[in-house]
Amino acid sequence: TERCTLRHPELRQSAMATPPAPHTKARSSPYLGGPARAPVSDAEVPWTSACEAYNPVRYTAPVVAANPPWADAPDRISSIRFNTLDGCVDRRSHEGQYLIDPSSGLPRNPRGRTGICERGLLGRFGPNHAADPIVTRWAKA
């Protein structure tokens, strides 16, 4: 059986009280090594704003589409439990609860529209938690 532990539950806070300014880096084009994003103005970023013409570019990088062991299988989308601990995969966001798109069944970016959908270079649908360890070494003189 798999065993999972949550080391810092205090880090799981609700979404910020004051919404952040619209993101710009997540809307820069082209996507890293991929296609140009659909343009999204600052006014169209929030999911609460009407944007019927929004047609994001669908993109999953070839390395992710090859189904490596660290990525979600696309045929498993309907069984993924978003906004919770799904087996040993933490699908909760540090931003708080995120919305699921009713037409695709995929999570929406909690910060708003980005002009691209699907996974891009990320392996998981929804949050992709990562840690970048920094190892240093010094000698006593």
Side-chain angles (χ1 to χ4, degrees):
T1 62
E2 295 178 336
R3 181 185 162 118
C4 300
T5 58
L6 181 60
R7 298 189 188 264
H8 298 286
E10 70 278 5
L11 296 177
R12 302 279 177 220
Q13 299 294 328
S14 296
M16 296 174 267
T18 305
H23 50 72
T24 55
K25 187 173 181 180
R27 292 184 288 149
S28 62
S29 200
Y31 183 82
L32 300 169
R37 296 173 184 265
V40 180
S41 70
D42 285 355
E44 296 170 326
V45 169
W47 292 109
T48 53
S49 68
C51 186
E52 286 136 28
Y54 181 60
N55 186 19
V57 174
R58 296 186 168 283
Y59 178 68
T60 298
V63 67
V64 177
N67 290 326
W70 46 265
D72 288 334
D75 59 349
R76 191 178 167 256
I77 294 171
S78 62
S79 65
I80 293 175
R81 295 182 353 234
F82 295 112
N83 284 306
T84 188
L85 190 60
D86 183 17
C88 279
V89 178
D90 192 353
R91 298 191 188 272
R92 296 171 293 184
S93 171
H94 296 290
E95 299 276 327
Q97 292 272 315
Y98 50 90
L99 301 172
I100 306 301
D101 185 273
S103 62
S104 68
L106 297 175
R108 288 182 170 175
N109 185 322
R111 294 284 180 109
R113 295 178 179 95
T114 63
I116 198 164
C117 65
E118 296 192 7
R119 292 177 288 174
L121 283 166
L122 302 174
R124 304 263 182 222
F125 292 103
N128 281 260
H129 304 291
D132 296 319
I134 299 172
V135 179
T136 62
R137 182 177 150 195
W138 65 89
K140 293 180 183 180

